[in-house]
Amino acid sequence: MTNQTFIGRIAGGAVENMVTSGVLASITIAQAALETGWGASVPGNNLFGIKGSGTTQDTREYINGQWVTIRAGFRTYASWEDSIQDHSRFLHENRRYANAGFFAHSAARDYAGAARALQAAGYATDPNYASKLISIIESYGLTAYDREADQMIQAIEELNTQLAALKGELAGTKQDLADVRQQLNMPEVPDWAEAAVEAAVRAGLVDSPENGSYDFYRIITVLHRRGLI
């Protein structure tokens, strides 16, 4: 697997995860690349070397100024996507990362600061861990995936704004319908009006409305029969 192929395989999951968790996609990709040797070794689909009880394997740790090989347990996952999601949960659940400023740097889109915060919080024993992450991000232009996530976040915010506006319009429409009922002395919509609307829907003359807007069609039917429209 080439480095670019590896990036392409996990980039989508990293971007989606950034939208929901705030962990920079560039950091996620760089850590996965560093921890697995660009996908060369991913036992148990564990992309980030998170320790646990799923499987046991040898790992290199920098202890007392030298590299040593130790036997340790690691978490296992059903897929790489599961590993990416657990990685962000792991960072959120362990307060030392927030205390080191990881999420503050992530929110500022400061990948270098986020990388240094990971090292400061003890994510890895390698004294050059942060610089290696930064080098990977810069060499492969991984901040492009941070920008992609930001575009998704902006699109979601715009959709939420539009949804809020539509809900406001719907609330206004319901109030308008209530006012019409009161003005026409219509405490309830007649049974024949409901049947007429259902028949019009079945005939394809009107779309099937949602959120109670059948009332609109029923009142229009009543107004039409009364010769008001």
Side-chain angles (χ1 to χ4, degrees):
M1 181 186 305
T2 67
N3 294 358
Q4 289 294 350
T5 300
F6 177 80
I7 291 172
R9 181 170 174 183
I10 71 169
V15 168
E16 292 178 6
N17 187 68
M18 176 175 166
V19 172
T20 58
S21 74
V23 176
L24 292 176
S26 58
I27 287 288
T28 296
I29 297 170
Q31 278 197 278
L34 184 57
E35 295 285 347
T36 66
W38 295 96
S41 177
V42 196
N45 290 316
N46 190 332
L47 291 166
F48 305 97
I50 298 178
K51 292 184 172 63
S53 58
T55 186
T56 302
Q57 58 185 299
D58 290 337
T59 182
R60 297 272 288 171
E61 302 281 357
Y62 193 79
I63 301 174
N64 297 325
Q66 61 181 346
W67 287 100
V68 298
T69 299
I70 64 172
R71 195 77 172 163
F74 292 85
R75 298 181 184 181
T76 60
Y77 306 96
S79 66
W80 285 16
E81 289 73 21
D82 288 346
S83 180
I84 291 172
Q85 293 172 14
D86 189 56
H87 171 250
S88 61
R89 283 195 298 268
F90 174 82
L91 295 176
H92 275 286
E93 291 170 356
N94 290 277
R95 290 293 303 169
R96 66 180 185 271
Y97 296 106
N99 294 339
F102 175 78
F103 291 103
H105 287 294
S106 295
R109 303 307 186 248
D110 175 15
Y111 65 87
R116 296 187 185 101
L118 285 175
Q119 182 171 327
Y123 190 96
T125 59
D126 184 350
N128 297 314
Y129 193 75
S131 62
K132 290 178 180 178
L133 292 179
I134 294 169
S135 177
I136 292 172
I137 292 170
E138 294 177 348
S139 297
Y140 292 89
L142 299 185
T143 54
Y145 298 103
D146 297 339
R147 292 191 293 273
E148 182 178 331
D150 280 334
Q151 291 173 355
M152 291 180 64
I153 292 170
Q154 182 178 356
I156 291 170
E157 290 174 349
E158 291 174 354
L159 287 173
N160 284 335
T161 299
Q162 294 174 14
L163 179 60
L166 288 172
K167 287 182 177 178
E169 292 176 6
L170 177 60
T173 299
K174 287 182 177 179
Q175 184 59 51
D176 291 341
L177 293 175
D179 293 342
V180 169
R181 283 200 192 95
Q182 185 175 11
Q183 292 170 13
L184 295 177
N185 192 26
M186 293 169 55
E188 295 183 358
V189 178
D191 291 340
W192 59 259
E194 182 172 353
V197 173
E198 294 290 353
V201 171
R202 289 194 297 272
L205 300 177
V206 297
D207 292 331
S208 178
E210 299 177 354
N211 299 319
S213 56
Y214 271 110
D215 288 346
F216 172 77
Y217 293 101
R218 292 166 186 160
I219 289 175
I220 291 298
T221 302
V222 173
L223 293 175
H224 179 71
R225 287 212 177 182
R226 292 191 177 188
L228 299 177
I229 58 173

